[in-house]
Amino acid sequence: EAGVTQFPSHSVIEKGQTVTLRCDPISGHDNLYWYRRVMGKEIKFLLHFVKESKQDESGMPNNRFLAERTGGTYSTLKVQPAELEDSGVYFCASSQVIRDRKTEAFFGQGTRLTVV
Amino acid sequence: LAKTTQPISMDSYEGQEVNITCSHNNIATNDYITWYQQFPSQGPRFIIQGYKTKVTNEVASLFIPADRKSSTLSLPRVSLSDTAVYYCLVGPTSGNTPLVFGKGTRLSVIA
């Protein structure tokens, strides 16, 4: 079974440009999460989808970040316009719910975003 | 959410047993303790989860005392490939509370 896949693995863009990160969760996983780690900092929660609905987006830094999960399958995270401080590694994770309990979260390998 | 405290880093020789202790003094009744492992350039990977006493799987053991204010991840006979960052997370498994990562413990295994 394929794990969580993220694309691209690395993206280098100039300040002011737009970048879209994609995450394909494990098939059948309703929960999808986005996390980010800025260099030297902890992994921080960004937002959580349950199917196509945003359950919690309290971690989104600002309105330059837009996440979507149309159809409840893959998700995209768009940064527009990108700023230098957006550089970091963006992780996606998915999990399912069995009898009201979340299973372990499976993480993708991350997308390294470098804004220059 | 319960805050966790772990050592910043640890070194170990190959073949030794490594124990990483995590403190979570304000753990709630419905919180579980979960450990994740992260290799460089990869996402975190689930290792083990427990609520109380002892849990063992093919990778590690997790020891949780009766008061649940701490937990110890035990890695038997580590190898160089166990070099990674290990995160202790505390939170409920029901509901929509997201995982909250701390700084983790950087384990370096040396020959």
Side-chain angles (χ1 to χ4, degrees):
Chain A
E1 178 184 346
V4 176
T5 57
Q6 294 185 243
F7 180 84
S9 58
H10 189 192
S11 177
V12 181
I13 61 172
E14 290 184 331
K15 174 183 172 181
Q17 289 185 323
T18 297
V19 64
T20 300
L21 314 181
R22 173 170 170 144
C23 168
D24 285 76
I26 293 174
S27 178
H29 282 195
D30 288 341
N31 291 304
L32 187 149
Y33 308 86
W34 283 97
Y35 287 82
R36 175 176 77 170
R37 183 172 64 196
V38 173
M39 183 178 290
K41 303 289 188 181
E42 298 157 26
I43 298 173
K44 293 290 189 184
F45 166 78
L46 296 179
L47 89 159
H48 170 206
F49 283 99
V50 176
K51 297 184 181 179
E52 68 275 9
S53 300
K54 290 177 185 174
Q55 186 67 39
D56 180 355
E57 52 185 328
S58 61
M60 293 289 263
N62 51 60
N63 59 9
R64 294 185 293 103
F65 288 75
L66 175 64
E68 294 180 320
R69 192 184 182 194
T70 307
T73 55
Y74 71 91
S75 173
T76 58
L77 179 64
K78 183 163 71 174
V79 185
Q80 179 183 32
E83 297 290 343
L84 298 179
E85 64 263 25
D86 300 332
S87 296
V89 182
Y90 290 76
F91 292 104
C92 174
S94 72
S95 71
Q96 57 183 332
V97 177
I98 299 177
R99 297 196 195 96
D100 294 327
R101 277 192 60 188
K102 294 194 297 287
T103 64
E104 67 199 70
F106 293 83
F107 283 77
Q109 293 204 323
T111 293
R112 180 175 298 277
L113 174 64
T114 302
V115 183
V116 297
Chain B
L1 292 172
K3 177 179 167 57
T4 60
T5 303
Q6 307 173 231
I8 294 173
S9 67
M10 298 177 73
D11 290 348
S12 173
Y13 287 108
E14 274 191 294
Q16 290 185 325
E17 176 184 84
V18 169
N19 295 306
I20 306 175
T21 297
C22 176
S23 297
H24 28 80
N25 290 315
N26 59 339
I27 188 170
T29 302
N30 60 341
D31 284 345
Y32 279 71
I33 300 154
T34 309
W35 285 79
Y36 279 78
Q37 173 192 56
Q38 186 178 24
F39 297 115
S41 301
Q42 293 189 25
R45 183 175 73 108
F46 172 90
I47 303 176
I48 197 166
Q49 183 182 77
Y51 184 80
K52 61 180 179 181
T53 63
K54 176 184 175 182
V55 180
T56 297
N57 61 22
E58 65 278 5
V59 176
S61 293
L62 179 59
F63 298 92
I64 306 168
D67 66 5
R68 304 202 324 124
K69 293 184 183 298
S70 67
S71 59
T72 299
L73 175 73
S74 181
L75 305 173
R77 295 183 299 281
V78 294
S79 63
L80 297 177
S81 62
D82 292 318
T83 294
V85 178
Y86 292 82
Y87 295 96
C88 165
L89 291 83
V90 173
T93 59
S94 59
N96 294 304
T97 307
L99 296 175
V100 177
F101 287 83
K103 298 185 190 308
T105 297
R106 183 174 299 278
L107 172 66
S108 298
V109 181
I110 50 182

